[in-house]
Amino acid sequence: MHNNLTKQLLNAATQTAQSLQKSLSLLNIAELCNELASDVLKQKYQPSTYTRFAVCDPKLREIYAPAYRDRLLQCWLVNQAEPIISPHFIEDSYSNRIGKGTLYAVKRVQQLMRRPNNNYYLHLDIQNYFNSIHRPTLLNNWLTLLKKHAPHNQSLIAYVSSKILLQNVAQSAYIVSGSRALLATIPKHKRLASSPPDTGIPIGSASSQLFANLYLNPLDHFIKHQLKIKGYVRYMDDLFILGNSAKQLLAWKQQINQFLTTQLKLQLHPKKQHLQLCRQGADYLGYKVYPHYLHLRSRNIKKLNNYLRFFNQLLTSNKQFSFIPNNAYWQSIIEQPLTIDYPLLKKMEAVINSYLGLMKHANHYRLRKLIIEHHFYTLNHYFVPSNCAYTAVHVKKQFLHQFIQTHP
């Protein structure tokens, strides 16, 4: 059993994203996995200290990142739990599922908008979702599912789940990283430490994403099988409902809110509720969605233009930045003498292509062409379009050749 668990943890190590923690742990990864397996099997495992910091993209959030040792175990838990949980999700539950990403949810909403009886939509959001999840209820729902579909190592999974899901992360010791000033701007009600007892799971953990998705699974089945709503899509705590009348949608909203309150101890966000005709379009997951076409939301186009302006100023050594990304890498770049080399250009390429990638799924050929041809300025010296559709750019080969010559 010990050797098998160690091998599974080593496999989990190959799945975790690259980070400084991972780089520092690689030399001793076998020993780390062996010790972690021993602690789990002897039921001596205790989660380590989390790191707390704030991010601003796409919006201001408080993140609690686990130590690498705990990331390994959480990845292992997700590997064990996902095959058990996934068959019980409804078809139109998205987020953190294979083949169920953002674009799939957007396309599904668009498909449902085109149905003859779906004249209206109701867009709902759950208030302060991750900080409002009742941990004992979540654990009980998961263990009930685990017991019904018990694998051979049910007790081991149950033990690890309890240690992770019941941990009060914000009340434990943690390390503060990044800008303390930015952390201080997070409203008190948005902080995990302000959650009631036994409530709230941290954003930033792999297990949190899976189990937060599971927590709303009873709501999905209530909506589909008791309310019998055919036009329904959920992306994490983002609920999208379609119907043939505003009156019907409002009646459903009251029933949904009652279920959330009584069964899951949650509340709908009082301000993030939008009832509108489908032909007027919906702001959904970064896009403006209409029945027959898509636009990227204007705020995402503005972000791309901000990045382009920042990159142009950076490449011309203009230190009068009108926009500085809230990103540790770019902030470190402006604090030291700049060397324009291939790795720096590849970082820029990745950012630009992430936005062009969003745009290629929308009706934005002319806009992509306009941005690349008329807003690149200095960037034109370093980048060229990858194709005639302007769906991506790449660094000119001469800069790769220069880098190879100087780094044999």
Side-chain angles (χ1 to χ4, degrees):
M1 183 64 179
H2 183 278
N3 289 340
N4 187 42
L5 181 55
T6 302
K7 288 179 182 178
Q8 291 174 353
L9 289 169
L10 284 168
N11 180 60
T14 67
Q15 299 173 303
T16 56
Q18 189 60 44
S19 67
L20 178 59
Q21 283 184 331
K22 182 174 181 177
S23 299
L24 294 173
S25 301
L26 282 179
L27 290 175
N28 302 310
I29 193 67
E31 182 181 353
L32 175 64
C33 291
N34 185 60
E35 290 177 355
L36 183 56
S38 180
D39 285 349
V40 169
L41 292 171
K42 294 177 181 177
Q43 298 198 356
K44 293 182 178 180
Y45 167 74
Q46 292 296 333
S48 307
T49 304
Y50 277 66
T51 300
R52 178 177 179 251
F53 59 95
V55 296
C56 284
D57 196 5
K59 61 184 179 180
L60 183 61
R61 291 178 182 271
E62 177 188 52
I63 305 295
Y64 282 88
Y68 186 66
R69 173 175 177 270
D70 302 305
R71 282 176 60 197
L72 282 179
L73 192 59
Q74 289 182 17
C75 184
W76 174 86
L77 177 59
V78 169
N79 288 341
Q80 304 303 310
E82 197 277 335
I84 302 169
I85 293 173
S86 188
H88 298 276
F89 284 129
I90 64 168
E91 186 66 23
D92 286 323
S93 167
Y94 296 80
S95 177
N96 296 289
R97 299 178 63 194
I98 297 172
K100 298 282 185 176
T102 304
L103 185 63
Y104 290 90
V106 168
K107 293 290 188 181
R108 179 57 172 162
V109 162
Q110 190 175 45
Q111 182 186 51
L112 291 170
M113 279 182 165
R114 292 197 288 263
R115 290 187 177 177
N117 292 327
N118 290 338
N119 301 313
Y120 289 84
Y121 73 83
L122 178 63
H123 193 185
L124 303 171
D125 193 274
I126 295 172
Q127 189 168 24
N128 207 12
Y129 179 53
F130 276 74
N131 291 355
S132 302
I133 292 174
H134 188 245
R135 294 194 300 273
T137 300
L138 170 58
L139 182 62
N140 181 65
N141 289 348
W142 160 230
L143 293 183
T144 300
L145 192 62
L146 178 63
K147 187 176 181 179
K148 287 182 180 178
H149 305 273
H152 297 301
N153 53 348
Q154 178 195 139
S155 60
L156 192 63
I157 296 174
Y159 168 72
V160 173
S161 300
S162 299
K163 298 298 291 187
I164 292 174
L165 295 179
L166 293 182
Q167 184 190 15
N168 192 341
V169 173
Q171 299 302 327
S172 305
Y174 57 79
I175 301 168
V176 176
S177 178
S179 171
R180 291 177 179 267
L182 190 60
L183 272 171
T185 63
I186 297 175
K188 186 176 180 181
H189 72 281
K190 289 283 189 179
R191 300 176 188 177
L192 187 58
S194 299
S195 298
D198 296 326
T199 304
I201 61 175
I203 299 175
S205 299
S207 57
S208 292
Q209 301 297 316
L210 175 65
F211 289 108
N213 213 6
L214 174 66
Y215 193 66
L216 286 176
N217 193 47
L219 173 69
D220 294 339
H221 288 275
F222 171 74
I223 288 173
K224 295 296 289 185
H225 304 305
Q226 293 191 43
L227 298 184
K228 299 187 183 302
I229 299 175
K230 295 181 179 180
Y232 169 66
V233 172
R234 177 173 69 82
Y235 190 93
M236 195 53 78
D237 61 321
D238 197 314
L239 316 178
F240 202 97
I241 306 164
L242 301 99
N244 61 1
S245 74
K247 183 179 179 180
Q248 178 65 79
L249 287 170
L250 289 173
W252 283 337
K253 187 190 80 170
Q254 295 302 320
Q255 292 171 292
I256 289 168
N257 195 43
Q258 184 178 12
F259 183 90
L260 285 169
T261 304
T262 57
Q263 301 298 317
L264 299 175
K265 307 182 191 299
L266 299 172
Q267 295 286 336
L268 289 174
H269 197 293
K271 295 182 179 179
K272 295 181 180 179
Q273 301 182 13
H274 304 282
L275 176 61
Q276 201 161 281
L277 285 163
C278 288
R279 58 182 169 81
Q280 293 177 301
D283 286 334
Y284 188 61
L285 300 180
Y287 291 92
K288 187 74 173 182
V289 186
Y290 296 89
H292 297 283
Y293 56 94
L294 288 177
H295 285 169
L296 193 66
R297 290 184 67 179
S298 57
R299 73 179 185 186
N300 286 327
I301 297 172
K302 183 179 179 180
K303 285 180 183 178
L304 172 58
N305 286 329
N306 283 339
Y307 269 110
L308 294 179
R309 187 164 61 253
F310 171 72
F311 292 157
N312 277 303
Q313 291 171 338
L314 197 62
L315 293 171
T316 54
S317 300
N318 180 355
K319 297 297 183 181
Q320 301 300 316
F321 296 110
S322 55
F323 165 80
I324 299 176
N326 181 39
N327 176 284
Y329 175 79
W330 296 116
Q331 289 177 2
S332 69
I333 286 291
I334 65 176
E335 292 171 358
Q336 57 192 358
L338 181 67
T339 300
I340 301 175
D341 58 10
Y342 187 70
L344 173 68
L345 295 174
K346 288 297 288 184
K347 287 281 188 180
M348 292 181 178
E349 178 190 283
V351 172
I352 296 168
N353 285 343
S354 68
Y355 286 95
L356 293 177
L358 290 173
M359 294 175 71
K360 76 179 182 180
H361 299 295
N363 302 81
H364 282 316
Y365 167 75
R366 290 181 181 178
L367 181 59
R368 294 194 303 272
K369 182 179 179 182
L370 174 69
I371 288 172
I372 292 175
E373 291 186 347
H374 299 283
H375 292 270
F376 262 45
Y377 303 114
T378 306
L379 288 165
N380 280 315
H381 178 68
Y382 301 95
F383 297 92
V384 292
S386 297
N387 51 57
C388 60
Y390 301 92
T391 57
V393 297
H394 64 259
V395 181
K396 291 181 179 179
K397 291 183 179 179
Q398 68 189 73
F399 298 103
L400 173 58
H401 295 156
Q402 289 175 10
F403 184 74
I404 293 172
Q405 290 171 2
T406 55
H407 295 77

